[in-house]
Amino acid sequence: MLTTDAVLDDIRAHGADAYPEEGCGFLLGQPTAAGNHVVRILPVTNRRTEQRERRYEITAEDYRDAAAVADAAGLDVVGFYHSHPDHPARPSTTDLDEATFPGYTYVIVSVQDGTPGDLTAWTLAPNRSRFEEESIADPSAAETIA
């Protein structure tokens, strides 16, 4: 995933704001040969009605709205992000069970006691059997930043 510190800070801030529940949203940008280039996020309301501290839900309507926002900006929806309150920034079994888009980037930020910490990026294997960790790099520099 290619992105800036500002985008990563926006994801961390949304995770802190949603604590102790999971926060979620879309990654908007463009697919490139070097990975998905995320230029902004689009936070959405966690639609889950129970266990919101452990689960999140994004509706088909949320997705249609995000696609329209991305299209109007000349971008694509290239992934999703969500927070893990008081848990590591690693995909859970539920994350794998509910992930549906190989080629998308899935970002997870850990929020411990309300403070955002580790942030990781993942891609779903083509056969949807596992997540593979993505590096996070600044598009203006070749070096890996997370």
Side-chain angles (χ1 to χ4, degrees):
M1 175 174 91
L2 304 171
T3 197
T4 62
D5 286 342
V7 168
L8 299 176
D9 289 345
D10 288 346
I11 293 170
R12 289 182 178 104
H14 186 207
D17 289 345
Y19 186 88
E21 298 178 345
E22 289 197 5
C24 55
F26 294 90
L27 305 174
L28 306 184
Q30 297 176 326
T32 73
N36 288 321
H37 180 184
V38 178
V39 298
R40 64 175 279 211
I41 65 168
L42 182 63
V44 295
T45 299
N46 180 352
R47 305 288 185 190
R48 187 86 181 190
T49 58
E50 55 188 27
Q51 295 184 318
R52 292 167 52 98
E53 70 284 352
R54 292 283 209 230
R55 304 280 185 267
Y56 74 97
E57 181 177 336
I58 294 174
T59 65
E61 183 174 294
D62 292 328
Y63 190 92
R64 282 191 295 273
D65 291 347
V69 169
D71 189 55
L75 302 171
D76 294 313
V77 173
V78 295
F80 305 95
Y81 71 90
H82 73 282
S83 59
H84 276 181
D86 299 317
H87 285 276
R90 303 192 59 79
S92 67
T93 301
T94 301
D95 292 335
L96 181 59
D97 290 344
E98 296 182 357
T100 55
F101 298 100
Y104 272 32
T105 296
Y106 295 82
V107 169
I108 301 171
V109 60
S110 175
V111 181
Q112 301 290 324
D113 294 323
T115 302
D118 293 339
L119 185 150
T120 56
W122 306 83
T123 189
L124 187 61
N127 66 4
R128 301 178 56 205
S129 66
R130 68 189 182 288
F131 279 105
E132 298 169 348
E133 190 163 6
E134 290 185 30
S135 62
I136 301 173
D138 186 316
S140 65
E143 70 182 78
T144 298
I145 57 173

